[in-house]
Amino acid sequence: MIHWPRVRQLRDEVGADEFDEVVEIFLDEVQEVIARVHADTARQDLEQNLHFLKGSALSLGFEVFSKLCQDGERMAASGEAAKVDLSEILAVFTASKSVFQTELKDNLH
């Protein structure tokens, strides 16, 4: 669910002191976009929102969430936004966030 080598790489890139702030910004931005996804009942901006979520997820190692966003983005791009299973995508984000927060300290050595 989480690609821990990517998380460690990000921590090394930004530095241990800045890492917590980067994680907080990531989670805040993702929550904002998820709120936009919920508000976009016509799914007009779904492709763009899933693209953003995919990139954000990749940068922090949320591997499964990123893959689902990528699949949804492709579906939306091909005119099938209504078929994207947003509940699955959002459930995987919630589960990924929980695993990330629970296991972060154990995986950063």
Side-chain angles (χ1 to χ4, degrees):
M1 182 164 276
I2 305 295
H3 188 248
W4 292 110
R6 174 61 192 128
V7 176
R8 287 188 290 275
Q9 179 185 11
L10 177 64
R11 185 206 50 209
D12 293 344
E13 288 171 1
V14 301
D17 294 339
E18 301 296 321
F19 180 73
D20 289 340
E21 184 177 344
V22 168
V23 169
E24 184 177 329
I25 290 169
F26 162 79
L27 294 174
D28 288 347
E29 288 178 348
V30 167
Q31 289 296 148
E32 287 176 21
V33 175
I34 286 173
R36 285 201 304 263
V37 167
H38 281 295
D40 182 22
T41 56
R43 296 187 177 195
Q44 290 185 324
D45 298 322
L46 186 61
E47 179 184 354
Q48 174 184 345
N49 287 327
L50 290 176
H51 178 79
F52 174 84
L53 292 172
K54 174 189 72 178
S56 296
L58 274 177
S59 68
L60 200 57
F62 282 43
E63 205 166 43
V64 177
F65 176 60
S66 177
K67 172 78 170 92
L68 290 175
C69 289
Q70 179 180 30
D71 293 347
E73 177 188 7
R74 287 182 179 152
M75 289 175 71
S78 66
E80 298 183 321
K83 294 182 181 178
V84 176
D85 188 349
L86 290 178
S87 61
E88 178 187 17
I89 292 171
L90 300 178
V92 168
F93 169 71
T94 300
S96 298
K97 179 180 171 184
S98 177
V99 168
F100 181 85
Q101 291 174 324
T102 302
E103 299 179 8
L104 180 62
K105 286 189 182 2
D106 293 339
N107 284 285
L108 284 184
H109 30 68

